Amino acid sequence: MATDAAAIRELTRAAYAKWVPLIGREPKPMTANYENAVTRHRFDLLYVDCTLAALIETIREADHLLVENVPCHRRSRGAGLATG
């Protein structure tokens, strides 16, 4: 999964970029060290036509599962990918 770090970073930066002008800085997910995170957290990746479209990053704790990050690429929003 370490090879996925660059794609995870690219997707996350694209998904959160719209917030930079609003809050005046990059949100935490844009600055995360994904080379490190992929070794410590679980990432479930959704590919559409061989392109990373969305992901969920979770962290297992002793008594709960923390959802850390759920970015979706702008071009994939509204496509029904996250519906159950």
Side-chain angles (χ1 to χ4, degrees):
M1 191 93 151
T3 57
D4 293 318
I8 290 168
R9 182 183 314 96
E10 181 180 327
L11 168 68
T12 302
R13 292 190 61 79
Y16 287 95
K18 70 178 187 175
W19 297 106
V20 175
L22 184 66
I23 65 174
R25 64 174 174 77
E26 292 184 340
K28 180 183 170 190
M30 291 181 78
T31 64
N33 179 339
Y34 289 105
E35 286 78 9
N36 186 25
V38 296
T39 66
R40 298 180 301 114
H41 306 163
R42 178 180 173 141
F43 287 83
D44 291 295
L45 309 177
L46 174 65
Y47 283 87
V48 175
D49 297 328
C50 299
T51 301
L52 183 59
L55 66 87
I56 185 167
E57 175 184 2
T58 55
I59 304 169
R60 180 169 299 284
E61 300 290 349
D63 61 347
H64 66 280
L65 183 67
L66 173 66
V67 176
E68 178 73 5
N69 193 10
V70 188
C72 180
H73 199 285
R74 289 183 0 208
R75 68 178 169 262
S76 298
R77 291 184 189 140
L81 301 175
T83 59

